[in-house]
Amino acid sequence: MRLCINIDHVATLRQARGENEPDPVTAAMICELAGADGIVCHLREDRRHVSDRDVRLLREMLKTKLDLEMSTNEEIVKIACEIGPELATLVPEKRQELTTEGGLDVISNYKKVKETIQELHRHEIEVSLFIDPIPDQIQAASDVGTDLIEIHTGDYANAVSEEEAIEELERIRQAAKLGKKLNLGVNAGHGLNYSNIIPFKQITDIDEVSIGHAIIAKAIFVGLENAVREMLRLIRSY
Ligand code: PXP
């Protein structure tokens, strides 16, 4: 299982002062040096954290890969096509939300999602769809021509009992299995942390996890390099 790190929170801290620091691009470099397999950032329509400058610099400087989270908004798609990240992950986006709250409804937005994937493919950008672990959504994701899916793990992360966590884990396991059966790459993320990653990493059909909050939060106390290394140690130990 590969680890990609979402650096949005570093940009959020920078924006709190409207100044230049901390720089999410520097954070990305440290994550790479610590062994991360890629960097994720979300260029939001309201630019509340990551900026166009960040995405351009990340694209130039990263040695691993850039996964750009984005909506299907035309302006954002145009920027993605110009910058050319290795991967674009389409997510639903609401102005009021604190973070992405759920998976993309591929079934209800079939045409728009399909057109966006085609446009990104024209620019040789691989596409992933962030979706809930629901078989019909996974089938729709495959039908619409995505290369990968990212399974939303929020319900697993928010489970209030062990039984619920086990149930959610099983839903994710089945979803990952279906994704593989449909020949899709299978990523996962949202709310994963240093505890819930332990049972989670047993799901062998998941190629990559995307983790932000838990790693950046820990980094405040132990430093970013240590926080990344600790997560890598957990993911890679058997
Ligand atoms: N994957 C997607 C699609 C997300 O929107 C986010 C949150 O920005 C993450 C993964 C990472 O979630 P977290 O910050 O809870 O680790």
Side-chain angles (χ1 to χ4, degrees), residues 6 8-9 69 91 99-100 130 150 189-192 210-213:
N6 182 311
D8 291 351
H9 284 325
E69 274 183 33
V91 301
T99 179
T100 312
F130 182 58
E150 179 181 331
H190 212 281
L192 295 175
S210 162
I211 306 182
H213 185 84

Side-chain angles (χ1 to χ4, degrees), residues 198-215:
I198 308 280
F200 191 83
K201 71 175 182 182
Q202 313 298 340
I203 307 180
T204 49
D205 282 323
I206 291 178
D207 304 316
E208 185 174 290
V209 284
S210 162
I211 306 182
H213 185 84
I215 292 177

